[in-house]
């Protein structure tokens, strides 16, 4: 039996559980799962390793870089990284079914009939609890961390796509994850993907 190709992109607010849900969907469907760690490793192994490593070191270790990212002013290295990442996403799409978390994949793959784009969000209470319990953020810093993380994602998406992160028209389905267990979210998304065809 030939299984229909399904590429699922998941965009998400920080602390909404999107990474976990994406991984569970990929496991349940038996398809590859690609997240930030995959893209960083894949791109750093390429011929522009030094430029890309510089970008990641700045992103991970510098307060100034994190502030610049939150303000949306990170410049040429980010643009080069985005273009390389987009090329890789298109190649992964051609290879077959998969789940891609983040990376503006919904925009890069927009209009393709076998792509389903999902946006996951939740209220602050749920996200704060997630940040504390699962990500080890202190209760005092959780809300600030959520705000900065969302702002970075929003600016990255908006700057590279010219579109609005989280806007309903950019996704096939937006879901509040705060009241649904991860296993049921997986079922909901998989059912939608099948019904969408």
């Amino acid at each position: 039996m030939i299984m229909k190709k399904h590429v699922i992109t998941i965009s998400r607010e920080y602390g909404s559980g999107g990474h976990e849900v994406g991984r569970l969907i990929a496991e349940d469907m038996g398809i590859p799962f690609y997240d930030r760690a995959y893209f960083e490793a894949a791109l750093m192994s390429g011929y522009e390793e030094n430029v890309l490593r510089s970008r990641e070191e700045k992103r991970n270790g510098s307060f100034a870089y994190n502030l610049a990212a939150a303000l949306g002013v990170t410049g040429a290295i980010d643009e080069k990284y985005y273009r390389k990442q987009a090329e890789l996403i298109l190649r992964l799409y051609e290879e077959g079914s998969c789940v891609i978390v983040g990376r503006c994949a919904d925009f890069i793959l927009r209009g393709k009939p076998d792509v389903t784009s999902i946006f996951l969000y939740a209220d602050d209470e749920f996200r704060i609890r997630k940040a504390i319990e699962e990500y080890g953020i202190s209760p005092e810093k959780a809300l600030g961390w959520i705000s900065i993380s969302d702002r970075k994602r929003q600016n990255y998406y908006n700057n590279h796509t010219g579109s609005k992160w989280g806007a309903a028209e950019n996704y096939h389905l937006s879901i509040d994850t705060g009241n649904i267990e991860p296993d049921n979210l997986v079922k909901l998304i998989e059912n939608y993907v099948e019904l969408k065809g």
Side-chain angles (χ1 to χ4, degrees):
M1 182 176 86
I2 299 173
M3 189 176 98
K4 186 181 185 306
K5 177 177 172 180
H6 291 296
V7 175
I8 302 168
T9 73
I10 297 184
S11 301
R12 74 276 185 234
E13 291 181 336
Y14 182 88
S16 64
H19 187 272
E20 176 189 10
V21 169
R23 182 180 50 76
L24 290 171
I25 290 170
E27 287 176 4
D28 191 57
M29 294 179 70
I31 60 177
F33 173 71
Y34 303 112
D35 62 359
R36 184 179 79 187
Y38 169 83
F39 286 99
E40 288 176 0
L43 292 173
M44 283 188 194
S45 67
Y47 66 95
E48 291 179 312
E49 179 177 355
N50 291 336
V51 171
L52 297 171
R53 189 176 306 282
S54 171
R55 183 257 185 199
E56 286 307 308
E57 286 171 355
K58 288 178 182 175
R59 184 183 62 76
N60 289 325
S62 165
F63 173 78
Y65 184 88
N66 285 332
L67 179 60
L71 296 173
V73 290
T74 52
I77 290 176
D78 260 355
E79 182 58 32
K80 183 175 281 192
Y81 187 86
Y82 173 79
R83 285 196 313 270
K84 288 292 177 186
Q85 187 172 257
E87 291 172 12
L88 181 51
I89 286 169
L90 289 166
R91 192 161 75 236
L92 294 172
Y93 165 79
E94 293 298 333
E95 289 176 3
S97 296
C98 62
V99 175
I100 304 173
V101 174
R103 318 292 91 197
C104 302
D106 62 285
F107 181 83
I108 293 163
L109 299 177
R110 70 196 181 284
K112 298 192 181 298
D114 41 14
V115 173
T116 302
S117 295
I118 310 292
F119 187 82
L120 302 179
Y121 63 95
D123 63 28
D124 285 346
E125 183 181 347
F126 178 87
R127 297 165 69 204
I128 288 168
R129 188 168 65 249
K130 196 92 162 166
I132 294 167
E133 294 173 1
E134 295 192 22
Y135 307 140
I137 309 298
S138 72
E140 301 78 22
K141 295 181 179 177
L143 189 57
W145 186 264
I146 287 167
S147 178
I148 289 172
S149 297
D150 279 353
R151 181 62 61 88
K152 284 167 61 176
R153 289 176 182 180
Q154 179 183 33
N155 286 333
Y156 183 83
Y157 187 94
N158 295 358
N159 290 342
H160 290 297
T161 68
S163 193
K164 187 177 179 183
W165 179 75
E169 63 268 21
N170 294 329
Y171 310 95
H172 295 102
L173 185 64
S174 295
I175 306 171
D176 180 347
T177 62
N179 298 309
I180 308 175
E181 291 298 319
D183 288 345
N184 288 329
L185 278 169
V186 169
K187 291 175 189 171
L188 175 63
I189 293 168
E190 289 179 357
N191 285 341
Y192 180 86
V193 168
E194 286 300 321
L195 290 169
K196 175 178 169 283

